[in-house]
């Protein structure tokens, strides 16, 4: 069995990695789980920017949350958490993973960076960037809303690692206040994710 070390801190993208590890039923050692791990020399030896999350799998470093989610899902083929490499469904995983990062997550993050003091000091905020990021996020969210109009999961009518990656964007978009009442399918999709035993996202009260 592989040894897995997860560098994490709860309110970060490491939530995606903890979730897939729990779905996979794999044991892992949690490192950090404190804000001080960010930017530390130890973390920089695994993640070049000193950002979270990162993992060591049998001592080999791997970073980028969605790459970690994909790798962990591949480690347990019997759990059917991701399609086989080379299959058409796997191409769809790659498609939605890229869409999540390029069309959704970056805009939700830009919104937060330019409006929340805990990420960047107020004097570095660019308020206009929030308006633009919201427009871009909502354009992609509308496409996802349409995609989810007749299905419960993003690929193959079953839960997969891709749902962790996609639903995280909606989760983050809620914190940026970019997800509104115009996307009811996104709300019900996220609610379905909250119901999963291993979901790490904090459901709204
Ligand atoms: N693209 C990276 C982004 C990682 C990232 O920005 N992590 C944040 C926490 S969610 C962080 O550690 N930020 C610290 C910093 O910007 O120095 C991923 O998806 O893993």
């Amino acid at each position: 069995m592989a040894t897995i070390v997860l560098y994490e801190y709860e309110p970060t993208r490491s939530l995606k990695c903890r979730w897939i590890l729990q779905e996979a039923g794999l044991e892992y050692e949690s490192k950090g789980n404190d804000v001080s791990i960010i930017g530390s020399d130890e973390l920089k030896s695994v993640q070049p920017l000193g950002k979270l999350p990162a993992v060591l799998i049998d001592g080999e470093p791997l970073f980028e949350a969605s790459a970690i989610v994909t790798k962990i899902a591949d480690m347990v083929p019997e759990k059917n958490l991701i399609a086989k490499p080379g299959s058409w469904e796997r191409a769809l995983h790659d498609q939605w993973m890229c869409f999540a990062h390029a069309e959704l997550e970056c805009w939700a993050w830009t919104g937060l960076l330019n409006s929340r003091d805990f990420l960047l000091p107020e004097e570095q905020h660019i308020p206009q960037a929030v308006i633009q990021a919201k427009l871009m996020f909502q354009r992609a969210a509308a496409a996802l809303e349409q995609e989810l109009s007749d299905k419960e999961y993003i690929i193959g009518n079953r839960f997969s690692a891709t749902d962790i990656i996609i639903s995280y964007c909606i989760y983050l978009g809620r914190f940026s206040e970019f997800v509104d009442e115009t996307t009811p399918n996104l709300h019900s999709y996220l609610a379905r994710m909250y119901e999963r035993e291993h979901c790490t996202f904090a459901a709204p009260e």
Side-chain angles (χ1 to χ4, degrees):
M1 191 162 1
T3 61
I4 303 173
V5 176
L6 171 64
Y7 288 85
E8 63 176 336
Y9 174 48
E10 199 183 319
T12 70
R13 291 165 172 89
S14 61
L15 286 176
K16 293 193 248 185
C17 303
R18 181 185 275 245
W19 184 359
I20 192 70
L21 280 161
Q22 292 178 168
E23 294 280 352
L26 292 173
E27 290 195 6
Y28 63 97
E29 181 192 345
S30 168
K31 276 227 174 172
N33 233 335
D34 184 281
V35 71
S36 63
I37 190 73
I38 294 176
S40 65
D41 288 343
E42 182 181 355
L43 185 54
K44 279 186 186 157
S45 71
V46 186
Q47 210 283 7
L49 300 173
K51 290 183 172 195
L52 290 171
V55 285
L56 289 169
I57 300 179
D58 285 337
E60 295 290 338
L62 189 68
F63 55 88
E64 284 298 324
S66 297
I68 296 168
V69 168
T70 302
K71 171 63 183 164
I72 299 294
D74 273 336
M75 288 170 74
V76 287
E78 70 282 7
K79 299 265 175 165
N80 208 18
L81 289 167
I82 193 165
K84 277 202 191 85
S87 65
W88 183 255
E89 269 200 8
R90 184 56 172 261
L92 293 179
H93 167 81
D94 295 345
Q95 167 192 281
W96 287 114
M97 180 167 70
C98 292
F99 184 89
H101 286 272
E103 309 289 354
L104 287 163
E105 192 173 306
C106 61
W107 299 119
W109 189 245
T110 300
L112 289 173
L113 270 184
N114 288 289
S115 60
R116 304 297 153 94
D117 288 350
F118 62 88
L119 293 170
L120 275 183
E122 199 174 341
E123 61 273 17
Q124 289 178 27
H125 291 179
I126 304 170
Q128 285 294 104
V130 181
I131 297 167
Q132 186 187 55
K134 186 173 181 178
L135 273 173
M136 299 305 284
F137 180 96
Q138 291 192 333
R139 186 171 142 201
L144 190 60
E145 171 75 9
Q146 178 65 30
E147 186 69 26
L148 290 169
S149 63
D150 59 354
K151 54 187 181 187
E152 299 206 337
Y153 301 101
I154 195 74
I155 300 173
N157 223 11
R158 65 178 166 84
F159 173 81
S160 71
T162 328
D163 291 302
I164 295 180
I165 294 166
I166 286 283
S167 64
Y168 181 78
C169 298
I170 307 167
Y171 183 65
L172 197 66
R174 286 185 63 251
F175 285 102
S176 326
E177 295 170 27
F178 286 0
V179 181
D180 60 23
E181 70 292 343
T182 62
T183 51
N185 296 333
L186 299 193
H187 288 280
S188 37
Y189 176 68
L190 193 54
R192 255 190 311 282
M193 297 301 142
Y194 289 144
E195 279 168 14
R196 289 192 68 82
E197 182 190 354
H198 297 302
C199 179
T200 48
F201 304 167
E205 307 275 294

